[in-house]
Amino acid sequence: MTLRGAAAAISPEPEHGSGPVATADDVISFADLKDWERQLASTGTCEHPVKLHGRITAIDRATGEIAPVYDTSDEPGGVLHVACGNRRETRCPSCSQVYKRDARQLVRAGLTGGKGVPETVAAHPCVFATFTAPSFGPVHARRMRGKTVLPCRPRRDSKDRRCPHGRDISCPTRHAEGDPRLGRPMCLDCFDYEAAVLFNLHAADLWRRFVTYLPRHLARLAGVTGKTLKAELRIRYVKVAEYQARGVIHFHAVIRLDANTKEGFTAPPARYDAGLLCDAIALAAKAVRITVPGSGPDIRLGFGRELDRRPVWRQPFAATGQALDAAAVANYIAKYVTKAVDVPGLPDTRIRHASEIEALRCPAHHKRMVAVAWDLGARASIGDPRLRLWAHQLGFGGHPLTKSRRYSVTFGYIRGERVTARRLERNPEGERDPWGRPLDDRVVLVLANWSYAGTGYTPRTPAAELALASADMARAR
Ligand SMILES: [Zn+2]
Ligand SMILES: [Zn+2]
Ligand SMILES: [Zn+2]
C-alpha cells in the first residue's frame, strides 16, 4: 500500500480489500504514535523503506565487557525502517526530494562556496553551458524571439511545405508551453531515429571527448602551451543530463576554472577569464565527433551547433553585468537529477521482450525510439548490449549528474553532514557509550549486526497508519 493509500485506510469508509483497516474500536496509544513519528522522521517518510532486524553492541576494549546499545526488538513492529534512497521521483517522492536538495547544495557550493568550499570560488571564471544534439528531422518546437513565441515552422513556398514522403511539414502554430505536440516529428519517416538513439547511447562519450578537448582550446586561445596550462589550471565541472521533448539528451553544465594548487579552490591566473572559457567551450564542443556503425553507412555523431536561437554559450556568472543567479542555476540543475525520461507510458524498468514494446501506451514517436534501440541492440555489426538494456530510456543510460572530483563536495559528504547534524540534535552533549563515557573508538568497539527483513512499513497498526497519513499530508502541503 502506498502512503496515500494509508490515508484511505484510516478514513471512516475504507475501500474493501485495501489492506489492514483501522476501525473505530481501535485505540491508538499516544506513545505508539510518537514511536512511529520518530521512525518516519528518520526515513524521511520514504515510500518503500528497507526493513532491518538487528542490534548494535558495544565492547569495552580493555575489559572485554559487552553491553547492548540498540536492538530493533525495541522498535514498534520489531524492525528498523531505513529510507530506500532512490533518487527517482516516480519511485520514491520523499527520497528523491532529499536527493534533489543534496544536488542543489552540491552545485551551489561550487558556485558560491559553502560546505567547506571557500566563498572566494564565486570570483573564479565560470560558465553555464547547454550542449544540445543536432537536428534529426523537423519537430514541433516552441521558438522564441525575446518574449514573443514565433510560429513553429512557417510556410514559405509550396516546395518547402512537403517532405520527400509527401507530408505537409509546415506548422504555423505558436506553440504554448506544455503543448503535447512539442518535440514530435512533423513526419516520422523523416526523423532519423537511428542517429537519435545512437546519439543518446553515446552522449556520455561525446561529453568525455569534450572534456579532453577543452584544455587544448583554452591553451590555444590563451597563447600558452598545453604543458603550461596543465601546470597552471584545473577545469572543474558539474553536468546534468536532461531529455528534450523530442526524447534526445542534452547536457547543462557549470564549468569553472581554478588554479592548479594543492589546496584547491584558488583563483586561476588572470589570463584565463570567463570570455576565454566561453570561446573555448564553443570550439571544443564543435570539434567533438564520433563515428559509430549504423545499420547502413557509419553515423557521425556530434553536438548540435545551436548558434541560432539559444545563445547558451555566453553566460558568464561573475565576469559580466548580466551574471546568472547562482541559486537559480543550482535549482535548474537539481530539477533534472530526479527525473528519468518524462514520457507517460514509458516503463520505469528495462524491457525484456519485444512484445512489451508493442504493448507500450506511449506516443508513437517514443515507441519508435524504443523499438529502434531494441532492434539495433540485436545487430551484430553494432553489437552494443547497452542498447537493449537502455531501450526504455531511449538509448541513454548515463547517470543524470556527473562532476569532476573537485567541483565542490560529494553526495557522501552532504549525507554525512546531515547524519551528524541529526545525531547532534538528538544528543546535544555528544554521544556516550553504555558506560556513560563520551564515545571513543579507541576505548569501545561498536559492533552492528543487521539482517534484511523485507521492504515497506510493518506492521500496519492504526498508529502506523495515522503517522503515515499525517506525514503524507505534511508532504503534500
Ligand atoms: Zn525512499
Ligand atoms: Zn508545430
Ligand atoms: Zn517525410
Side-chain angles (χ1 to χ4, degrees), residues 104-393:
R104 201 180 294 135
Q105 294 191 349
L106 185 152
V107 173
R108 192 119 186 228
L111 289 169
T112 54
K115 309 273 155 207
V117 179
E119 279 167 22
T120 49
V121 82
H124 297 199
C126 190
V127 169
F128 181 60
T130 300
F131 302 77
T132 51
S135 167
F136 299 111
V139 296
H140 291 278
R142 184 173 149 88
R143 304 187 199 284
M144 306 286 294
R145 184 180 293 141
K147 287 195 169 156
T148 322
V149 187
L150 301 178
C152 171
R153 204 168 193 280
R155 283 173 193 167
R156 286 182 209 102
D157 48 57
S158 53
K159 264 190 295 179
D160 210 37
R161 270 179 66 178
R162 305 227 165 250
C163 79
H165 309 95
R167 295 193 181 100
D168 185 346
I169 52 164
S170 67
C171 174
T173 313
R174 296 168 194 263
H175 292 291
E177 241 171 294
D179 186 328
R181 282 174 295 179
L182 289 174
R184 305 286 162 79
M186 311 273 182
C187 166
L188 292 191
D189 296 316
C190 278
F191 195 84
D192 191 345
Y193 282 93
E194 202 171 299
V197 164
L198 289 171
F199 179 91
N200 280 353
L201 179 71
H202 292 286
D205 307 328
L206 291 168
W207 172 264
R208 263 190 293 279
R209 289 215 183 184
F210 164 77
V211 170
T212 317
Y213 295 172
L214 185 57
R216 292 179 210 165
H217 289 278
L218 269 171
R220 220 186 56 209
L221 291 176
V224 299
T225 62
K227 211 167 153 191
T228 307
L229 184 110
K230 214 170 159 189
E232 292 183 337
L233 197 69
R234 280 284 172 270
I235 301 170
R236 264 113 199 200
Y237 68 85
V238 60
K239 85 161 205 306
V240 69
E242 180 204 353
Y243 283 91
Q244 291 178 290
R246 58 180 169 150
V248 179
I249 284 292
H250 69 175
F251 294 127
H252 303 285
V254 171
I255 303 173
R256 190 186 70 221
L257 299 181
D258 294 358
N260 181 14
T261 53
K262 270 226 171 62
E263 307 80 60
F265 308 122
T266 314
R271 62 165 151 246
Y272 308 106
D273 62 19
L276 189 89
L277 178 56
C278 276
D279 292 344
I281 289 171
L283 290 171
K286 208 171 147 195
V288 173
R289 283 277 175 274
I290 301 180
T291 305
V292 296
S295 59
D298 284 356
I299 293 176
R300 269 160 64 86
L301 300 172
F303 290 117
R305 260 166 304 173
E306 274 298 301
L307 295 173
D308 40 10
R309 288 168 207 91
R310 281 185 281 182
V312 287
W313 301 114
R314 305 184 155 271
Q315 295 182 329
F317 284 107
T320 73
Q322 342 110 2
L324 283 172
D325 176 34
V329 168
N331 284 341
Y332 194 71
I333 289 193
K335 195 168 121 193
Y336 296 108
V337 295
T338 57
K339 285 201 163 60
V341 52
D342 199 7
V343 176
L346 273 186
D348 233 8
T349 50
R350 61 172 290 206
I351 290 167
R352 290 175 191 278
H353 196 268
S355 63
E356 291 172 42
I357 301 173
E358 283 148 41
L360 289 179
R361 295 173 68 93
C362 66
H365 169 61
H366 300 103
K367 196 169 182 167
R368 187 128 157 204
M369 283 188 88
V370 175
V372 166
W374 182 265
D375 290 344
L376 283 178
R379 277 174 204 266
S381 60
I382 297 166
D384 200 322
R386 298 177 302 170
L387 276 164
R388 287 208 156 173
L389 211 57
W390 298 338
H392 67 293
Q393 297 172 158

Side-chain angles (χ1 to χ4, degrees), residues 46-47 84-85 92 95:
C46 166
E47 189 100 350
C84 74
C92 185
C95 287

Side-chain angles (χ1 to χ4, degrees), residues 8 15 33 156 217 222 423:
E15 281 172 58
L33 182 62
R156 286 182 209 102
H217 289 278
R423 276 201 185 138

Side-chain angles (χ1 to χ4, degrees), residues 416-438:
E417 222 183 26
R418 199 169 47 235
V419 170
T420 312
R422 208 151 53 204
R423 276 201 185 138
L424 207 66
E425 206 175 280
R426 267 202 309 263
N427 305 299
E429 269 111 68
E431 285 180 293
R432 305 215 156 237
D433 69 20
W435 296 274
R437 300 166 295 197

